[in-house]
Amino acid sequence: MNNSALPDVNALVIVPQRKIGTKMMAAICIILLLLLARAFWKGDIAWSYVSENLFSRSVLAGVGNTIIMTFCAMIVGIVLGVIAAIMRMSDNPVLRSISVGYVWLFRGAPALLQLLLWFNLALIFPTIGIPGLFSIRTVDVMTPFVAALLGLGIQQGAYTAEVVRAGILSIDKGQMEAAQSIGMTKLRATLKIVLPQAMRVIVPPIGNETIGMVKLTSLASVIQYSEVLRSVEDIYYVNSRVIELLIVATIWYMVVVTILSILQIYIERHFSKGWGRRDASRQQPVGPALTGEAG
């Protein structure tokens, strides 16, 4: 075969595929976003009320209460979730049954229903305490903050239990066997060996649950807890500027969620250090080794 008859490969021009469909879709999305922005700008919205109430004292107090409730409920949920996950993986059938029942009950009941049940607990138990030692009226203990904390935190614990259990199961069983072979108990090995390694798997969904908790705290407004939504409701009941105050609440929710999303990125990077990476200084170059063997 005469090689001179073949075309020059370097002279060929690579023509990229025309993606007309994706370009049209992007253009349509941009147009829709512009129309939506124009509709809000031209709509009957008094933006002066938005700027006036965005940093008002009551709204800022509501934002602070939202953040406090989010972190308190997540702390309760994480503690209960870790305990429930360890109980679920225990050899004791009683502990396993309690863990399964806890997850089944509190993951199945709606969050709003749980908040209402805790807030109205005094209707069932007028007083709580230890018989013969002390007793206290339930209505004095079950404040809106406590009811919201218990309702959101205990429910979050049921979801966190499954997240933690999945993270523990992602670690090879050999880690547990090696820890037990040097005399560590199963509980100690789980807390000291398995759980720290499982954090790489646990942190991302827990971060998402924390962001979800920020928005879930809005349900606490039903039981009169003064979070950001309740704060703007109190204002628009007075001035009747409903949409403007709801826009204020939306802005603050987006600000808090954005900050938590950035923190989640850094936390995930911290727990993912060294995972799936190799130290380049310890790797031997392949080329010279093969050359030496060939020689």
Side-chain angles (χ1 to χ4, degrees):
M1 180 181 293
N2 187 6
N3 292 332
S4 60
L6 296 176
D8 186 7
V9 178
N10 296 326
L12 297 178
V13 178
I14 300 177
V15 179
Q17 182 182 2
R18 295 182 178 180
K19 300 180 180 180
I20 300 177
T22 56
K23 292 181 179 179
M24 291 180 61
M25 183 62 67
I28 292 173
C29 291
I30 293 175
I31 293 173
L32 291 177
L33 289 175
L34 292 175
L35 291 175
L36 182 63
R38 183 180 181 276
F40 271 91
W41 185 255
K42 295 293 184 180
D44 187 14
I45 300 175
W47 293 101
S48 60
Y49 281 89
V50 176
S51 58
E52 178 183 344
N53 293 280
L54 188 60
F55 296 100
S56 64
R57 181 176 299 180
S58 59
V59 172
L60 291 178
V63 174
N65 290 336
T66 296
I67 296 174
I68 292 172
M69 179 57 65
T70 297
F71 283 100
C72 290
M74 287 305 301
I75 290 173
V76 173
I78 290 172
V79 172
L80 292 177
V82 172
I83 295 174
I86 294 176
M87 291 173 60
R88 178 71 177 271
M89 305 183 72
S90 173
D91 296 330
N92 191 315
V94 176
L95 295 180
R96 288 202 309 270
S97 300
I98 293 175
S99 177
V100 172
Y102 164 69
V103 173
W104 170 77
L105 178 61
F106 289 98
R107 196 172 60 173
L112 181 58
L113 175 62
Q114 296 184 46
L115 291 175
L116 293 174
L117 287 173
W118 285 109
F119 188 64
N120 294 284
L121 190 65
L123 299 176
I124 306 175
F125 304 104
T127 60
I128 55 176
I130 301 177
L133 294 180
F134 74 93
S135 63
I136 189 172
R137 293 196 311 165
T138 306
V139 69
D140 295 332
V141 176
M142 202 57 60
T143 61
F145 176 83
V146 175
L149 178 62
L150 293 176
L152 297 177
I154 294 177
Q155 186 205 40
Q156 182 58 46
Y159 288 98
T160 304
E162 294 300 292
V163 173
V164 174
R165 187 171 70 92
I168 293 175
L169 292 176
S170 68
I171 305 302
D172 189 84
K173 293 182 179 180
Q175 300 285 333
M176 177 66 72
E177 295 173 355
Q180 290 179 314
S181 67
I182 60 175
M184 298 182 70
T185 62
K186 188 174 182 180
L187 177 60
R188 184 177 177 83
T190 300
L191 296 176
K192 297 293 184 179
I193 305 297
V194 178
L195 200 56
Q197 298 182 66
M199 290 299 292
R200 181 187 61 86
V201 179
I202 294 174
V203 166
I206 292 296
N208 292 334
E209 293 288 341
T210 303
I211 293 173
M213 181 61 71
V214 174
K215 296 170 287 185
L216 202 61
T217 55
S218 61
L219 296 177
S221 62
V222 177
I223 59 173
Q224 303 175 6
Y225 179 68
S226 298
E227 43 76 55
V228 62
L229 184 59
R230 178 75 182 187
S231 299
V232 300
E233 285 177 350
D234 293 339
I235 297 175
Y236 71 62
Y237 285 152
V238 176
N239 59 16
S240 301
R241 308 304 303 193
V242 178
I243 296 298
E244 289 80 359
L245 271 300
L246 291 179
I247 291 176
V248 170
T250 302
I251 292 173
W252 277 116
Y253 278 124
M254 295 305 299
V255 169
V256 175
V257 168
T258 301
I259 294 174
L260 291 178
S261 299
I262 296 173
L263 291 176
Q264 179 184 353
I265 292 174
Y266 285 101
I267 294 174
E268 289 181 10
R269 288 179 181 177
H270 173 74
F271 285 103
S272 298
K273 286 182 179 179
W275 182 262
R277 300 175 182 175
R278 296 182 179 179
D279 190 355
S281 62
R282 296 182 181 180
Q283 292 182 359
Q284 296 182 356
V286 179
L290 293 178
T291 305
E293 292 177 1

